[in-house]
Amino acid sequence: MATWLPPDRNPFFGVAMGAIAQAGDLSVAASLPTGGGMFASGGLAKAEADLTAAGFLNVSVQEHDASFDSEDAPAAMQPFYTGGSVRTRALFAAQSEAQRADILATAAGMLEHYRTDGGYSVPLRYVTIVAR
């Protein structure tokens, strides 16, 4: 199994979710269906403990580094918000039109930290979890 690390340990999702937190209305999340979310197993110790408690043996959790590379990362955020995870898409869609525009502008500003000569390179971190 693989899962994303949470925003505080994953710069890409720090930008994506941070922009919603700064420019959007997080209270709309209360109207969304409950669920574990895409970061539910992102805590290394939690993933190992959950699988061990479920009876799995030889649990191995490894953290990996990748990157989100784009010539135009700010433009690439729109498809992420509208076609990414079900929960992220619903959270973005629940915002007003003005808030959605502000979220995209905020994300674009946050992405400037990751600008390179060829575009943008944002660290994207995940874990793999293997057990028997």
Side-chain angles (χ1 to χ4, degrees):
M1 157 169 99
T3 187
W4 301 114
L5 283 170
D8 63 331
R9 299 188 52 216
N10 189 338
F12 176 82
F13 284 103
V15 168
M17 304 313 285
I20 293 175
Q22 287 182 33
D25 177 4
L26 290 178
S27 70
V28 301
S31 67
L32 301 178
T34 59
M38 67 179 145
F39 308 113
S41 297
L44 303 179
K46 180 181 178 347
E48 186 170 1
D50 288 350
L51 288 171
T52 300
F56 287 92
L57 304 172
N58 302 322
V59 178
S60 171
V61 181
Q62 293 185 321
E63 191 170 326
H64 303 276
D65 292 319
S67 63
F68 169 74
D69 299 317
S70 175
E71 290 180 8
D72 189 355
M77 294 307 291
Q78 173 82 30
F80 170 77
Y81 286 127
T82 59
S85 76
V86 171
R87 191 161 190 81
T88 302
R89 183 174 58 237
L91 183 59
F92 187 71
Q95 308 295 320
S96 71
E97 187 174 331
Q99 287 168 318
R100 288 192 298 270
D102 287 347
I103 290 166
L104 291 170
T106 299
M110 295 169 81
L111 286 165
E112 284 304 308
H113 178 72
Y114 302 101
R115 184 184 284 274
T116 65
D117 289 338
Y120 297 82
S121 184
V122 186
L124 184 59
R125 298 190 175 116
Y126 65 99
V127 295
T128 54
I129 305 159
V130 179
R132 297 179 195 257

